[in-house]
Amino acid sequence: MANNTLKPWLHIAADSDFSIYNLPFGIFSSLKNSHRVGTAIGDKIIDLMELASNGAFRDLIADDAVLQQPYLNEFIALGKKTTSEVRNRVQQWLVEEASPLQKNPQYFINQSECILHLPVRVGDYTDFYSSIEHATNVGKMFRDPDNALLPNWRHLPVAYHGRASSIVVSGTNVRRPSGQTNPNGSSPVFAPTKRLDFELEMGFIIGQKTTLGKPVEIDQAEEHIFGMVLFNDWSARDIQKWEYVPLGPFLSKNFASSISPWVVTMEALEPFKTHGPKQEPEVLPYLQHSGKKNYDINLEVILKTTNGDENMISQTNFKYMYWNMAQQLAHHTVNGCNVNVGDVMASGTISGSTPASYGSMLELSWAGSNPLEMKDGSKRTFIEDEDTVIMRGHAKKNNMRVGFGEVKGKILPAV
């Protein structure tokens, strides 16, 4: 359904991220059932495996076993035609009186009674560097305030290949990493990072595999993107500063990245498309596109201290990204690199133009020179042990609200 006047018979709070316009997919388990595919609606989960076992998708899905898996990969691999119809059918049943859903309340489970799991089996993960505000801020701090961007930045979506094995689902604690740093500029030392940081990002999930040697044309890129998640690329800035020359981040990034459990489909995000920043100079032909490719998604970061206070430290928007997802995927594959279902592509830190909209502690505290004051009177330049970082995001237009829930992680002391 594409209209914006859907009226479900199920009560859903007006400020719920999981409205009838959303219906994201994820993996959950409960005391009653093992890992399976579900969709979120309000504060509940619809058990799609249970629904399918009663014939709801018999004409769409040949083997219901794809809905009883520990990851979404097999379900996503059915193709957008199938997954979109599953979503559309559930949406219709939430509106229709006497539908299979209304007649069978046992298909609904309270989210509070479930465990949410990593939504996809991540084979590969790539982290981009696509916010011009963030890249400029970092360049001003560490290179040249008058010439912050490197010469290639406006010509291609800069990225590096990250570590898929350490991507964890929201709610997983993260251990403070140790590594080499060079605090005095003379001899390196091995110690826990003193500059632990978050990076506010969004990730997109590959929904269609490609063939090695065959690039994804930019006008076809969106067909290869299944949906999006919130993404926190944890970073150890002092380790990063010492190791990143000449090949880039390594131990400073690969210890953990956190993602939200619900994958919001691109169909749900379609109404929130918008134009991105003007790209100057003109990009090369394989990166040129037409139409709206950015998304108007409000984002926020909360730092929760040990006493339970939630401190809002950043508010920004995904629409500011200089390089969009279609360009990122086109560039990623232009040399023939293949991608697979479940691969994650992260946006890079999302920063706006004002200090309150910066997407990392590195920027918010300006490399430690401008501490942030918390409600309890303590100050932060970077993340301390026992701090919890919470990221939330939602898109809103008229009466439509489509949200991502949250991605959070608590920092534990180094071993």
Side-chain angles (χ1 to χ4, degrees):
M1 287 186 192
N3 75 77
N4 61 0
T5 57
L6 298 174
K7 295 183 179 180
W9 43 260
L10 181 71
H11 173 72
I12 303 168
D15 62 350
S16 173
D17 277 355
F18 307 119
S19 70
I20 194 169
Y21 302 103
N22 192 349
L23 300 178
F25 295 106
I27 298 294
F28 76 99
S29 63
S30 65
L31 291 174
K32 181 182 176 182
N33 293 308
S34 60
H35 292 54
R36 54 189 49 213
V37 179
T39 186
I41 181 71
D43 60 358
K44 300 185 183 301
I45 297 173
I46 299 174
D47 186 336
L48 295 183
M49 177 60 200
E50 193 71 20
L51 196 55
S53 66
N54 287 290
F57 308 121
R58 189 169 295 143
D59 58 324
L60 294 175
I61 301 174
D63 185 355
D64 293 345
V66 301
L67 296 170
Q68 197 170 13
Q69 299 291 327
Y71 301 104
L72 287 172
N73 296 53
E74 290 189 32
F75 176 67
I76 294 172
L78 295 175
K80 279 193 178 185
K81 183 177 179 180
T82 298
T83 59
S84 295
E85 181 55 30
V86 168
R87 177 177 172 273
N88 291 340
R89 198 167 291 187
V90 170
Q91 194 176 58
Q92 180 72 43
W93 288 335
L94 286 166
V95 173
E96 291 179 348
E97 299 290 340
S99 71
L101 285 175
Q102 191 180 41
K103 290 188 295 184
N104 293 279
Q106 71 271 20
Y107 295 152
F108 294 86
I109 307 170
N110 293 327
Q111 287 201 40
S112 60
E113 298 172 6
C114 298
I115 298 173
L116 299 177
H117 302 279
L118 194 71
V120 291
R121 181 177 58 250
V122 184
D124 281 299
Y125 150 54
T126 301
D127 190 30
F128 285 89
Y129 187 50
S130 293
S131 162
I132 195 168
E133 290 83 3
H134 174 67
T136 300
N137 288 338
V138 172
K140 285 179 178 180
M141 277 186 267
F142 297 114
R143 286 189 294 273
D144 181 354
D146 298 319
N147 193 23
L149 292 178
L150 290 170
N152 66 346
W153 200 92
R154 289 179 180 269
H155 294 276
L156 56 86
V158 175
Y160 73 95
H161 292 286
R163 183 70 184 177
S165 65
S166 54
I167 295 178
V168 296
V169 72
S170 175
T172 305
N173 294 333
V174 174
R175 182 74 61 181
R176 179 177 294 272
S178 297
Q180 283 195 28
T181 64
N182 193 356
N184 301 316
S186 54
S187 299
V189 297
F190 179 83
T193 177
K194 293 181 173 63
R195 294 195 160 200
L196 184 58
D197 201 355
F198 66 84
E199 290 191 347
L200 171 61
E201 305 192 20
M202 299 203 73
F204 66 87
I205 309 296
I206 295 297
Q208 183 179 333
K209 71 177 183 179
T210 65
T211 302
L212 183 66
K214 185 177 180 181
V216 176
E217 302 293 338
I218 194 161
D219 59 353
Q220 300 296 318
E222 290 174 312
E223 288 302 310
H224 290 76
I225 301 174
F226 175 74
M228 297 185 67
V229 294
L230 297 171
F231 194 94
N232 181 356
D233 179 29
W234 298 97
S235 301
R237 299 300 186 184
D238 44 1
I239 297 174
Q240 183 179 359
K241 184 178 179 180
W242 175 236
E243 74 175 2
Y244 86 101
V245 179
L247 292 181
F250 184 37
L251 301 185
S252 58
K253 299 278 192 175
N254 70 4
F255 61 96
S257 297
S258 302
I259 68 171
S260 52
W262 292 109
V263 182
V264 178
T265 66
M266 302 316 296
E267 290 84 358
L269 292 169
E270 184 71 21
F272 309 102
K273 276 189 166 183
T274 187
H275 292 289
K278 184 177 182 181
Q279 295 180 327
E280 295 179 318
E282 185 177 68
V283 298
L284 293 176
Y286 78 94
L287 292 170
Q288 292 175 8
H289 64 89
S290 60
K292 299 175 180 178
K293 299 297 182 184
N294 283 39
Y295 291 82
D296 185 1
I297 301 171
N298 300 299
L299 299 167
E300 61 185 32
V301 182
I302 296 95
L303 193 154
K304 186 177 179 180
T305 51
T306 53
N307 67 353
D309 286 339
E310 291 194 359
N311 301 268
M312 180 77 71
I313 59 174
S314 177
Q315 291 179 291
T316 188
N317 195 294
F318 187 55
K319 67 184 179 183
Y320 300 132
M321 298 303 283
Y322 188 87
W323 295 104
N324 61 59
M325 293 183 289
Q327 291 176 314
Q328 290 169 343
L329 185 54
H331 182 68
H332 197 303
T333 62
V334 73
N335 66 342
C337 174
N338 59 317
V339 295
N340 291 300
V341 171
D343 287 356
V344 173
M345 311 286 175
S347 63
T349 304
I350 303 164
S351 292
S353 59
T354 63
S357 65
Y358 294 162
S360 66
M361 288 296 286
L362 177 68
E363 297 164 273
L364 290 167
S365 73
W366 207 252
S369 65
N370 184 30
L372 279 66
E373 186 165 344
M374 303 291 105
K375 291 177 182 177
D376 63 5
S378 63
K379 294 184 178 181
R380 297 288 187 280
T381 52
F382 291 93
I383 306 301
E384 297 186 0
D385 291 346
E386 308 301 328
D387 284 347
T388 299
V389 176
I390 305 168
M391 298 174 178
R392 299 184 179 123
H394 75 274
K396 188 174 176 62
K397 184 178 183 180
N398 301 323
N399 66 319
M400 293 187 293
R401 181 184 172 105
V402 171
F404 292 79
E406 64 181 25
V407 57
K408 67 179 179 181
K410 181 179 180 179
I411 297 301
L412 301 182
V415 176

